[in-house]
Amino acid sequence: MRLGTRLALGLGVLALVVFAVVGTALTTYMRDYLSNQLDDQLKLAQLAQSKSIADHGTLQGKKYYRWYYAVYDVRGGDAELRRPEDPGDLPKDVDDFTALARAQITSPDELLHTDHLKGAGTYRLRACEVEPGVVLVSAAPMDDIEETVRRLITIQAVTFVLALAALVFFGRRMLRRGLQPLSDMAYTANGIASHDLTESASRLPLRADGRDGGQEVEELRTAFNTMLEHIDDSLAVRAEAEQRLRRFVADASHELRTPLMSVRGYADLFQYAAANAPEERDKHLARLRAEAARMGVLLDDLLLLARLDAAEVEAPLRASEADLVELVEQAADAFRVSHPDHPLTVAPGPGFLKLCLDPQRIRQVLDNLLTNAAVHTPAGTKVSVAVSVAHGTARVQVADAGPGIPPGDRERVFDRFYRVDKARSRDRGGSGLGLAVARSLIRAHSGEIELSSGPGATEFTVTIPLAVDRAREAAAGR
């Protein structure tokens, strides 16, 4: 069944329930209203008849058609029926009248009861005390009330059936017309399914058009088009990621090929006895070890980046409580020893700053940033490092007074294998993984690293949240 048909049937079922509730409430109200009217009529009639009994001792005055009247003497504690003026005033069975008169003896108020009298039908009985020791019981037929209620039910049933049929018929047509924009969106989705999304440059030019259908359909259309925009953007990101992967593979191959070629060349020298002289052999062995070490560092960085990318599977951090200020001071001491031609100053800050982090990895980040400042600036360039606390985060700022980073390179300095030095010279730089490793390590600590650079100033700002990550702390405990 189509959605419009199901909605129309559901609307019909709901309308049927509403009609049933309304009809039941209306019928119940009408029955109670007519019953109350009959009770009031019984009360007024008994008031006039009670005066006649009190004045004359007999029931005189106007009597209603098919009504019954019974007068009881209750002075002795039991109900004794008086002889009626007219035999038609009493039904064939007066047990219900007698029972109601006995109950009236001990009741301070008038009693009302509905009973089915044998051979007469359903009657409304009312008992009242005429005078001390005398009780009058009157009974009025309820046939008219029942007939009125039956007619009301019949009229309601016929009206509700016709209204329900019209509601289902016209509602189905209106729902089909209202759901037409959904069919148009389904047509658009089928058109998207026919596109080949396996190509790296594939895009989704189709969108759901139209302005009819009401606010809800417009919201759905907007959400549908927004989803298509996200898919289109995801395809673009995927294409860019594939290009980055190709570039990454090419750069990794280029970086590994040079030390491998050197190792192969020195191996050939030893194979053909071209380096048998002791001094030549030691020089070539040292060079061979240096190339192997450089290749090992490159592979270690690649392995660390791979583990950081798969941190959900294998967390590469070993978090513990450590003093960030102490780590900065240690990195500064090591920098002064290894780069004496770059004066380093440590700005005053907090005396200590305990955080839950991996001290070895944070030290690696600090060493990378300081070394980067020394490698890419001329000798004598001032370098500074500062530790501070702001907005619930710990901040480490590493700045230098060098020539700065060109604007076109600032967006890519954190990319893997990217170097501002386009010539890839290794006398002033490494493999281009230092900043990429630093950013990945800081993000693994739920922090961020930012760059601000201009002529005569370059500053890297590392921020780490002060709040302890309970999940990381539990993982570290495991």
Side-chain angles (χ1 to χ4, degrees):
M1 297 178 64
R2 296 182 62 86
L3 179 60
T5 303
R6 285 185 292 163
L7 290 176
L9 292 179
L11 184 62
V13 173
L14 180 61
L16 182 61
V17 173
V18 173
F19 290 161
V21 172
V22 173
T24 302
L26 182 61
T27 303
T28 302
Y29 171 78
M30 183 60 68
R31 185 191 298 274
D32 293 341
Y33 174 77
L34 295 177
S35 297
N36 292 333
Q37 292 292 102
L38 185 59
D39 293 341
D40 294 340
Q41 190 176 2
L42 276 169
K43 181 179 179 180
L44 294 174
Q46 283 188 335
L47 288 175
Q49 294 165 355
S50 298
K51 184 177 181 181
S52 174
I53 295 173
D55 294 342
H56 306 287
T58 59
L59 184 61
Q60 297 179 357
K62 181 180 179 180
K63 298 180 181 180
Y64 294 95
Y65 175 70
R66 293 183 60 199
W67 281 41
Y68 293 119
Y69 310 94
V71 181
Y72 288 88
D73 292 320
V74 295
R75 290 184 178 87
D78 194 10
E80 295 183 2
L81 179 64
R82 288 184 182 182
R83 186 179 184 84
E85 293 181 347
D86 186 354
D89 289 347
L90 292 176
K92 296 179 180 180
D93 187 0
V94 295
D95 292 342
D96 295 331
F97 287 73
T98 304
L100 190 61
R102 289 172 180 169
Q104 183 63 42
I105 296 174
T106 58
S107 176
D109 302 321
E110 291 79 4
L111 297 179
L112 288 166
H113 200 267
T114 302
D115 289 308
H116 184 79
L117 303 181
K118 295 180 180 179
T122 303
Y123 274 73
R124 185 70 168 172
L125 278 65
R126 188 178 189 275
C128 69
E129 188 177 19
V130 177
E131 59 184 13
V134 180
V135 173
L136 171 63
V137 179
S138 302
M142 301 185 67
D143 295 346
D144 293 340
I145 295 178
E146 297 296 333
E147 180 64 22
T148 302
V149 171
R150 281 195 294 269
R151 288 183 180 180
L152 179 62
I153 293 176
T154 302
I155 294 174
Q156 288 178 352
V158 174
T159 304
F160 288 169
V161 168
L162 294 178
L164 183 63
L167 178 64
V168 172
F169 177 76
F170 291 105
R172 184 167 176 266
R173 297 185 63 180
M174 293 179 63
L175 287 172
R176 278 190 174 181
R177 182 175 180 180
L179 294 175
Q180 183 60 38
L182 300 182
S183 300
D184 297 339
M185 280 186 273
Y187 178 79
T188 302
N190 291 330
I192 293 173
S194 63
H195 278 69
D196 185 10
L197 302 181
T198 59
E199 297 293 335
S200 59
S202 59
R203 302 299 296 268
L204 292 177
L206 298 178
R207 297 294 184 271
D209 299 327
R211 291 294 181 268
D212 55 344
Q215 181 179 358
E216 292 78 7
V217 176
E218 181 63 26
E219 292 176 354
L220 179 60
R221 184 185 294 110
T222 301
F224 185 73
N225 289 333
T226 302
M227 179 190 67
L228 293 181
E229 292 287 347
H230 288 173
I231 295 176
D232 202 11
D233 294 340
S234 299
L235 292 175
V237 171
R238 186 189 68 176
E240 183 181 356
E242 291 180 355
Q243 293 178 359
R244 291 176 60 187
L245 179 61
R246 294 190 183 98
R247 186 168 60 248
F248 175 82
V249 172
D251 291 339
S253 301
H254 176 84
E255 295 295 336
L256 289 173
R257 180 173 57 186
T258 301
L260 286 176
M261 292 295 293
S262 298
V263 171
R264 182 186 302 173
Y266 289 118
D268 291 342
L269 288 176
F270 284 104
Q271 180 181 3
Y272 295 106
N276 288 334
E279 61 278 3
E280 290 292 329
R281 182 172 62 250
D282 293 339
K283 183 178 68 174
H284 294 320
L285 284 176
R287 187 63 177 173
L288 186 62
R289 283 193 295 268
E291 293 294 337
R294 191 164 67 87
M295 186 167 56
V297 171
L298 177 62
L299 292 176
D300 289 340
D301 289 342
L302 290 175
L303 178 60
L304 176 59
L305 287 172
R307 293 177 63 190
L308 290 171
D309 291 340
E312 294 181 358
V313 179
E314 180 185 5
L317 302 181
R318 296 182 178 180
S320 63
E321 191 177 65
D323 187 358
L324 181 61
V325 176
E326 182 180 355
L327 293 176
V328 170
E329 292 176 351
Q330 294 175 359
D333 293 338
F335 178 81
R336 293 189 181 99
V337 173
S338 58
H339 300 88
D341 54 344
H342 285 75
L344 175 65
T345 58
V346 179
F352 63 92
L353 189 56
K354 295 289 186 179
L355 294 177
C356 182
L357 44 79
D358 188 337
Q360 180 179 357
R361 295 306 183 185
I362 294 298
R363 174 65 188 278
Q364 181 179 356
V365 171
L366 297 174
D367 291 339
N368 283 349
L369 294 178
L370 290 172
T371 303
N372 185 74
V375 169
H376 297 285
T377 58
T381 302
K382 295 181 179 180
V383 180
S384 64
V385 59
V387 181
S388 60
V389 178
H391 305 294
T393 60
R395 294 189 176 186
V396 179
Q397 295 171 306
V398 178
D400 64 72
I405 299 176
D409 297 319
R410 295 171 191 170
E411 297 294 332
R412 298 189 58 189
V413 292
F414 293 102
D415 292 348
R416 300 173 185 183
F417 292 110
Y418 184 81
R419 286 195 298 263
V420 177
D421 180 12
K422 303 300 188 297
R424 295 182 177 269
S425 60
R426 289 169 179 78
D427 55 345
R428 298 189 59 215
S431 61
L433 292 176
L435 292 179
V437 171
R439 184 177 64 173
S440 298
L441 286 174
I442 294 301
R443 287 183 174 178
H445 285 82
S446 302
E448 191 56 68
I449 180 171
E450 300 176 351
L451 166 66
S452 62
S453 181
T458 299
E459 181 178 271
F460 288 91
T461 303
V462 176
T463 58
I464 302 176
L466 294 177
V468 177
D469 191 337
R470 300 298 179 185
R472 188 187 300 119
E473 186 179 32
R478 290 194 298 269

